[in-house]
Amino acid sequence: MCHPSWGRARAAAQRLTDLARLRRVRDRLDREYAQPLNVEALARGADMPAGQLSRQFRLAYGESPYAYLTSRRVERAMALLRGGHLGVTEVGHAVGCPTPGIFDTRFTQLAGMSPSAYRRQTPGAPRPA
């Protein structure tokens, strides 16, 4: 019979493997935020079932993969809006939001104001031509 510590060691090794997979998923979300991504595709890339990926990602990072992706998109949109060289609709497309309405809604939920209001509030940001 196996020594009890072997089971704990194997569980710890599996946890490290799972964390490495989750880190790769998070890195992919950071790199490919402007691409259409869904949990099923991310799970296939991590060789995990979609439900397991969602649960473990939430445990590790405190939010679902979709919420993490949305947060990254809004962060990138804020930077683009501060730059002022693109219109609001162009910024939404640049960060991977499929429609201006979805972009406006998600941005407002996370930033607390619309993209247009955010741009107006940003001091010294040049306005798009």
Side-chain angles (χ1 to χ4, degrees):
M1 182 155 226
C2 295
H3 194 273
S5 65
W6 294 351
R8 287 190 298 274
R10 187 168 49 218
Q14 183 62 48
R15 178 78 176 133
L16 289 175
T17 299
D18 290 344
L19 286 174
R21 287 179 183 172
L22 294 173
R23 195 169 34 253
R24 285 192 298 273
V25 168
R26 188 192 63 194
D27 291 346
R28 182 177 176 192
L29 290 169
D30 287 337
R31 267 190 328 274
E32 300 176 18
Y33 66 90
Q35 303 301 316
L37 296 170
N38 61 49
V39 174
E40 290 78 19
L42 295 168
R44 275 192 306 276
D47 197 28
M48 300 171 81
Q52 179 184 1
L53 171 66
S54 290
R55 283 187 302 277
Q56 288 190 359
F57 194 96
R58 184 181 298 274
L59 284 172
Y61 299 112
E63 59 188 345
S64 71
Y66 180 75
Y68 183 87
L69 175 61
T70 302
S71 297
R72 296 298 76 76
R73 285 177 172 168
V74 169
E75 285 175 4
R76 270 44 170 220
M78 290 172 135
L80 290 171
L81 289 167
R82 282 190 303 270
H85 302 293
L86 297 174
V88 172
T89 301
E90 293 170 309
V91 168
H93 287 296
V95 299
C97 288
T99 68
I102 291 173
F103 174 62
D104 189 66
T105 300
R106 298 291 183 245
F107 190 98
T108 302
Q109 287 172 338
L110 292 175
M113 65 183 75
S114 71
S116 299
Y118 181 82
R119 170 170 279 150
R120 283 191 303 273
Q121 184 181 14
T122 303
R127 302 297 178 240

